[in-house]
Amino acid sequence: MNFNIKSIRIILFFVLISTFSFAQKARIKGVVLNENQLPIENVSVSSPKSNTVTNKNGFYELEIAANVEVTISFFNSSYKKSTYKVNLKPNEDFEWNPILGTINEVIETVVISGKNRKINGATALSPVLLRRIPGGNAGVENLIKTLPGVYSNNELSTSYAVRGGNYDENLVYVNEIEVYRPFLVRSGQQEGLSFTNTDMVQNIDFYAGGFQAKYGDKLSSVLDIAYRNPKTFHAGFEASFLGGSIFAEGVSKNQKWSNITGVRYRNNSLLVKSQETQTNYTPSFLDVQSLFNFNLNTKWNFSFLGNIAQNNYNYQPTSRQTNFGTISEPIALLIQYEGQERDTYTTFFGAVKSVFEPNKNNKYKHISSVYHTVEQEYYDILAQYRLGEVDANIGSETFGNVVFSRGIGSQLNHARNNLDALIVTNEIKGNHKLNDDNAIEWSFKHNFENIRDRVVEWEVIDSAGFSLPNPELEYINDQPYNPYFGPLAPYQNVRAKNNTTINRFNSYLNWNYEGMIGSHTYFVNAGVRGQSWMASNNGISGNNQFTFSPRAQFILKPNWDKEMVFRFSVGVYNQPPFYRELRASDGSVNANVKDQKSIHFVFGHDYSFQMWNRPFKLVSEAYYKTMTDVNAYTIDNVRIRYEANNNATAYVYGIDGRLNGEFVPGVESWFTFGYLKTEENQGGKGFIARPTDQRLKFAILFQDYMPKIPSLKMYLNLVYNTGLPGGSPAYADPYLYQTRLNDYRRADTGFSYVFKDAKLGGHRKWLANFSEFSVGFEIYNMFNNQNSITNTWVRDVYTKTQYGVPNYLTTRTFNLKISMRI
């Protein structure tokens, strides 16, 4: 008996040992990424004896045999297959985050790699391009300005106009949350940073018109941005003469918590000091953004997006000389300045978002956000000018100097403006998939806006010793030939104190359907928006107003040999007034300003084809917009002054085109063309050009590299726009002045040497800890074109002539940049 027990124990011991030795296991896990460092879903991960697939976050975990070499395969039909060999110890957990190369497909309005989005008229942009394309204000807006239908003639500003609209007619969403710009910014050089942090971006969709009902109540465009939800640790750093940025992202061990945080600093001194005005310029533009995500379980997700931005703008001009006129009669404007400007824009933004997904067919979201901005604009600047004739005699000792003064004068600008704005938003959204072909989206939203604003600004102009009165006063000043008996009044005087409150309730219902007509596929999107709002100022309430906006989109994808898509969109787009639209040029608030109404008709065509055995796409759109209850305005630099009386009608029509593809193998470039015409009729006086009537637009975004030195890359960003109306004196009657600015021509180019990225530099040992490392050299305004944003008007007392002296933007400037990521 004892023998049998001992025998059994020995046998069991050897069985357990042999079983343990043959069944020893290890685990490999990680996140599968594409070339843009974005996670890939549904990637098949397999070994000879086991397999799995990545989830929607790109995460996988696979159990494999230990102490033997195992080949792991990663495969997805949209990406190149990748294999990796490992030999792990028993119970070892090994992390491997492969990067799969894409099989490029022309799917939508751009070359999209490995991502099948619906053909809904959106332009999808690559986050990688945001960091690479040079520009005076690099970022999302820098890339958008190269797209058809988008116009801008100020490289110092992130503002843009779309298809005849103005800067206030564009929606911007980050993670489905509407974001806002500061209120008091009046000059492009005061803009330091846009809200969007390019280091945190995952997806970018841009709609230039005819967008769906699920997007808000603006007249022109939608920029829809999604930030990354990190799946593994990454960090990055970028620095240049214009500032720098740093970010870090990571995820907890249990994959429930994740965070991405970015810090940016910008200093525009390099650009501003290249202007004709000599200044002591000490700006400080700083912001911090952070996105937290928490996955409670497979059904609940919570996130928080926070932002703090501090923009300090200190400006002390000293002198300026601008030469203009003709070769035979050159004229110069010389200005000596005294005084300074100190502006501060401090904004706080926080948003909490919860997502509940009880099953794969239903999803519910709740979004709450708070935006608070405190802004101050203080300045006292005295400009004493001299308008004179320039010595054009090359052999003269005074060549290039002013030898005779035609007029002298001075201008004193004063402001003490303060603004405090609070915007609170709550929204509930639902998304329901009825079947494979039908889906419904809906939303209920409430906005509370409270703006406390004090405006005190005046301007006194003294021309040749005589004070110029306000041009809106009906007095004639013919000095020095005739005495002036009218009142002495500042040329401009605005004083107001407003406490404005706006409550808004809005909702939408949106339906998506996919069907077949024979062998042809079609998509239908139809929806309706409604908004009810009421404004009050200083305790006096306006009327309760309501908007109703039906919209529809039909897309046909024929089953032809040639890859083509046809789109038609029609809809009503209403824009209820925001605070800027309620405030007139004299500072008063009209709480009964109506919503501006517009009807869009957009017809689009996409043609995908192969050229040089590489993918290309030609996208073209024709559009027409008719507008009523238009709130007329003027633009001074980037500040908009509204009439606040809805006394105009307007129209816009045009055509846009873009050819994009791999002109150089492996990298995407595009060529853009646009034509538009927009006019308005104020008070029945007839149609004249609107301030955004920028007729022609050409743009090129081009990427290249040296075939024998692929690490050396070149990027070109070229824009040409015809001149805008806006060369007239301030407060001039637009029916008497339709002067246009000169054409806007600008080319920015960048050269970078890439030590390592997803394709290059993997063999260098010193780069083992980096996923990207590059050093770049950039040239802004490469051809040194003189572009003007406005005119300064000075008076020649002897000839009674007013001269429009261009206010030029930046000249040719050089920049160095270093970028690294781990």
Side-chain angles (χ1 to χ4, degrees):
M1 187 70 178
N2 292 335
F3 173 81
N4 291 335
I5 292 175
K6 291 181 180 179
S7 300
I8 292 173
R9 288 176 177 173
I10 293 172
I11 293 171
L12 287 175
F13 175 78
F14 282 104
V15 168
L16 290 173
I17 290 296
S18 60
T19 302
F20 179 75
S21 62
F22 284 106
Q24 291 181 109
K25 299 291 184 182
R27 287 167 298 281
I28 182 170
K29 61 184 178 180
V31 178
V32 182
L33 306 168
N34 63 18
E35 295 172 343
N36 297 329
Q37 298 293 317
L38 303 179
I40 310 174
E41 185 180 3
N42 292 326
V43 176
S44 175
V45 184
S46 61
S47 69
K49 295 184 179 181
S50 59
N51 61 80
T52 186
V53 294
T54 59
N55 63 16
K56 63 181 181 180
N57 298 321
F59 180 78
Y60 74 93
E61 183 173 352
L62 186 69
E63 191 175 65
I64 60 175
N67 291 326
V68 294
E69 186 175 80
V70 179
T71 300
I72 310 298
S73 299
F74 301 88
F75 175 74
N76 182 287
S77 59
S78 298
Y79 295 82
K80 298 175 183 178
K81 185 177 180 180
S82 175
T83 59
Y84 184 71
K85 293 182 179 181
V86 294
N87 191 334
L88 305 181
K89 299 177 181 178
N91 293 319
E92 181 180 356
D93 284 325
F94 181 74
E95 181 177 342
W96 176 245
N97 305 310
I99 298 175
L100 302 189
T102 54
I103 301 173
N104 289 330
E105 295 178 349
V106 182
I107 296 175
E108 214 181 313
T109 56
V110 295
V111 176
I112 301 176
S113 300
K115 187 156 187 173
N116 185 11
R117 297 181 181 174
K118 288 189 176 180
I119 326 164
N120 58 6
T123 301
L125 301 174
S126 166
V128 177
L129 281 179
L130 301 182
R131 308 194 307 269
R132 294 179 176 174
I133 301 304
N137 235 321
V140 176
E141 294 81 5
N142 182 48
L143 205 58
I144 288 174
K145 291 175 182 180
T146 67
L147 298 179
V150 183
Y151 296 81
S152 175
N153 63 341
N154 189 344
E155 64 269 11
L156 293 172
S157 171
T158 58
S159 303
Y160 55 89
V162 179
R163 291 181 176 174
N166 68 35
Y167 309 140
D168 291 339
E169 297 179 7
N170 307 303
L171 284 162
V172 180
Y173 291 96
V174 174
N175 283 15
E176 302 182 86
I177 304 157
E178 186 175 355
V179 298
Y180 305 91
R181 299 171 58 240
F183 288 74
L184 295 183
V185 172
R186 57 187 173 83
S187 171
Q189 66 188 38
Q190 296 173 3
E191 294 187 49
L193 297 162
S194 71
F195 182 91
T196 308
N197 188 324
T198 56
D199 289 329
M200 301 169 65
V201 170
Q202 176 173 315
N203 295 323
I204 307 168
D205 288 329
F206 180 74
Y207 300 81
F211 43 90
Q212 301 175 10
K214 69 179 182 179
Y215 294 112
D217 296 298
K218 294 283 188 179
L219 293 183
S220 295
S221 73
V222 174
L223 176 61
D224 192 2
I225 296 170
Y227 280 174
R228 286 195 305 277
N229 184 4
K231 305 305 171 190
T232 185
F233 175 77
H234 287 288
F237 169 79
E238 183 176 292
S240 75
F241 290 154
L242 289 172
S245 66
I246 188 170
F247 81 94
E249 60 183 271
V251 62
S252 63
K253 291 183 178 180
N254 59 6
Q255 301 289 315
K256 287 185 175 293
W257 287 92
S258 67
N259 171 257
I260 178 169
T261 298
V263 180
R264 297 179 295 170
Y265 171 79
R266 184 172 178 86
N267 186 321
N268 278 342
S269 296
L270 180 70
L271 296 173
V272 173
K273 288 183 179 179
S274 72
Q275 296 178 295
E276 291 182 323
T277 302
Q278 301 300 308
T279 67
N280 295 318
Y281 180 63
T282 54
S284 175
F285 306 129
L286 176 70
D287 95 328
V288 180
Q289 289 191 40
S290 189
L291 174 63
F292 290 88
N293 279 284
F294 173 61
N295 294 308
L296 180 63
N297 49 45
T298 57
K299 296 182 178 181
W300 280 99
N301 172 267
F302 300 90
S303 63
F304 170 78
L305 175 62
N307 173 69
I308 300 175
Q310 175 76 57
N311 291 355
N312 292 319
Y313 174 79
N314 297 325
Y315 177 72
Q316 186 176 1
T318 57
S319 64
R320 164 185 171 180
Q321 177 172 342
T322 302
N323 297 325
F324 62 104
T326 63
I327 296 177
S328 60
E329 189 180 0
I331 304 175
L333 174 69
L334 288 81
I335 304 178
Q336 294 295 323
Y337 294 96
E338 293 182 25
Q340 62 181 328
E341 177 175 356
R342 290 187 177 181
D343 302 332
T344 301
Y345 311 100
T346 305
T347 60
F348 305 88
F349 176 82
V352 177
K353 178 179 175 182
S354 59
V355 181
F356 175 57
E357 192 171 1
N359 51 59
K360 65 178 182 179
N361 294 326
N362 297 282
K363 183 182 292 187
Y364 302 91
K365 301 176 183 179
H366 176 259
I367 303 173
S368 295
S369 66
V370 177
Y371 174 82
H372 184 211
T373 179
V374 179
E375 304 177 20
Q376 170 188 295
E377 184 181 46
Y378 289 180
Y379 57 81
D380 286 284
I381 296 178
L382 173 64
Q384 297 174 313
Y385 73 85
R386 183 159 62 104
L387 182 68
E389 296 178 2
V390 178
D391 186 355
N393 186 354
I394 298 179
S396 173
E397 294 181 357
T398 58
F399 174 72
N401 297 331
V402 175
V403 294
F404 177 75
S405 295
R406 290 188 174 187
I408 59 175
S410 61
Q411 176 178 322
L412 176 60
N413 291 89
H414 167 91
R416 293 294 184 272
N417 300 329
N418 294 88
L419 183 140
D420 189 315
L422 176 68
I423 302 174
V424 181
T425 302
N426 282 282
E427 183 178 18
I428 299 175
K429 305 174 73 171
N431 191 317
H432 308 282
K433 185 177 181 181
L434 306 180
N435 52 47
D436 291 340
D437 302 324
N438 278 281
I440 291 177
E441 300 171 85
W442 56 266
S443 166
F444 294 98
K445 184 178 179 181
H446 173 251
N447 271 48
F448 171 78
E449 302 162 12
N450 180 236
I451 297 94
R452 295 171 296 282
D453 182 22
R454 186 193 70 167
V455 185
V456 179
E457 58 181 67
W458 47 261
E459 176 183 20
V460 175
I461 298 178
D462 180 278
S463 181
F466 302 97
S467 179
L468 297 184
N470 190 322
E472 296 181 351
L473 299 177
E474 296 181 358
Y475 295 93
I476 298 175
N477 185 353
D478 195 26
Q479 299 179 81
Y481 303 101
N482 294 299
Y484 175 68
F485 297 102
L488 289 176
Y491 187 79
Q492 174 192 343
N493 187 16
V494 179
R495 293 175 181 269
K497 190 173 183 179
N498 301 308
N499 189 345
T500 305
T501 300
I502 308 173
N503 273 288
R504 306 180 193 270
F505 296 89
N506 58 65
S507 64
Y508 70 79
L509 181 65
N510 206 51
W511 171 61
N512 292 284
Y513 179 77
E514 179 180 345
M516 301 290 293
I517 303 176
S519 60
H520 310 299
T521 305
Y522 70 91
F523 304 86
V524 175
N525 176 274
V528 62
R529 289 191 66 87
Q531 181 173 148
S532 174
W533 84 95
M534 184 174 68
S536 65
N537 184 59
N538 295 332
I540 301 174
S541 298
N543 299 325
N544 189 29
Q545 303 185 56
F546 179 76
T547 66
F548 181 74
S549 306
R551 305 171 189 176
Q553 187 178 55
F554 179 80
I555 302 169
L556 177 65
K557 189 176 185 302
N559 185 21
W560 295 346
D561 292 337
K562 294 184 177 180
E563 184 81 12
M564 291 191 179
V565 175
F566 299 89
R567 298 188 307 273
F568 176 72
S569 302
V570 62
V572 176
Y573 295 82
N574 298 327
Q575 181 165 320
F578 201 48
Y579 175 71
R580 272 189 290 258
E581 293 143 279
L582 295 174
R583 196 180 82 174
S585 58
D586 63 359
S588 63
V589 168
N590 179 4
N592 289 318
V593 173
K594 300 177 183 177
D595 58 297
Q596 300 183 82
K597 302 174 179 64
S598 174
I599 302 177
H600 291 199
F601 300 92
V602 182
F603 179 77
H605 174 244
D606 299 353
Y607 173 39
S608 304
F609 58 95
Q610 292 283 323
M611 186 166 62
W612 308 315
N613 293 322
R614 297 194 291 272
F616 285 83
K617 172 159 281 194
L618 176 64
V619 180
S620 56
E621 285 194 343
Y623 57 90
Y624 177 81
K625 297 191 286 186
T626 177
M627 289 171 277
T628 58
D629 289 328
V630 173
N631 196 344
Y633 60 88
T634 59
I635 298 179
D636 181 12
N637 206 301
V638 298
R639 180 168 61 175
I640 300 177
R641 292 187 181 275
Y642 290 93
E643 296 295 329
N645 55 15
N646 299 107
N647 71 333
T649 60
Y651 68 86
V652 185
Y653 65 80
I655 185 170
D656 293 330
R658 185 164 74 119
L659 175 65
N660 70 287
E662 294 186 18
F663 293 91
V664 175
V667 292
E668 179 188 2
S669 302
W670 60 69
F671 294 79
T672 294
F673 164 79
Y675 170 81
L676 75 80
K677 182 178 181 180
T678 177
E679 293 185 325
E680 65 185 10
N681 183 350
Q682 297 184 23
K685 293 186 290 186
F687 282 95
I688 58 173
R690 305 190 78 198
T692 52
D693 183 37
Q694 199 155 34
R695 296 294 176 83
L696 291 175
K697 184 250 179 77
F698 298 94
I700 297 174
L701 187 146
F702 195 79
Q703 300 184 78
D704 198 359
Y705 58 87
M706 294 187 66
K708 293 186 179 181
I709 313 177
S711 296
L712 185 60
K713 300 179 182 293
M714 186 276 289
Y715 309 97
L716 175 66
N717 183 0
L718 187 149
V719 175
Y720 168 82
N721 295 326
T722 52
L724 282 167
S728 307
Y731 296 96
D733 185 348
Y735 280 85
L736 299 178
Y737 292 88
Q738 277 288 292
T739 307
R740 287 181 179 265
L741 297 168
N742 293 331
D743 295 350
Y744 181 81
R745 299 161 297 164
R746 185 174 179 89
D748 299 325
T749 187
F751 303 89
S752 68
Y753 188 86
V754 180
F755 291 93
K756 185 178 182 181
D757 63 8
K759 298 179 180 179
L760 300 170
H763 60 282
R764 297 184 176 95
K765 292 183 179 180
W766 67 277
L767 294 171
N769 294 325
F770 295 97
S771 61
E772 294 182 25
F773 192 103
S774 65
V775 176
F777 174 69
E778 297 177 331
I779 308 174
Y780 304 137
N781 197 4
M782 180 171 58
F783 302 116
N784 203 27
N785 294 313
Q786 287 190 312
N787 297 308
S788 60
I789 184 63
T790 54
N791 287 332
T792 295
W793 289 85
V794 295
R795 189 180 182 188
D796 180 354
V797 70
Y798 299 101
T799 63
K800 297 184 181 181
T801 301
Q802 274 191 313
Y803 291 94
V805 183
N807 294 317
Y808 292 120
L809 292 165
T810 59
T811 59
R812 184 188 294 118
T813 310
F814 302 94
N815 185 35
L816 289 176
K817 184 170 69 173
I818 183 171
S819 179
M820 59 186 71
R821 294 193 168 208
I822 58 176

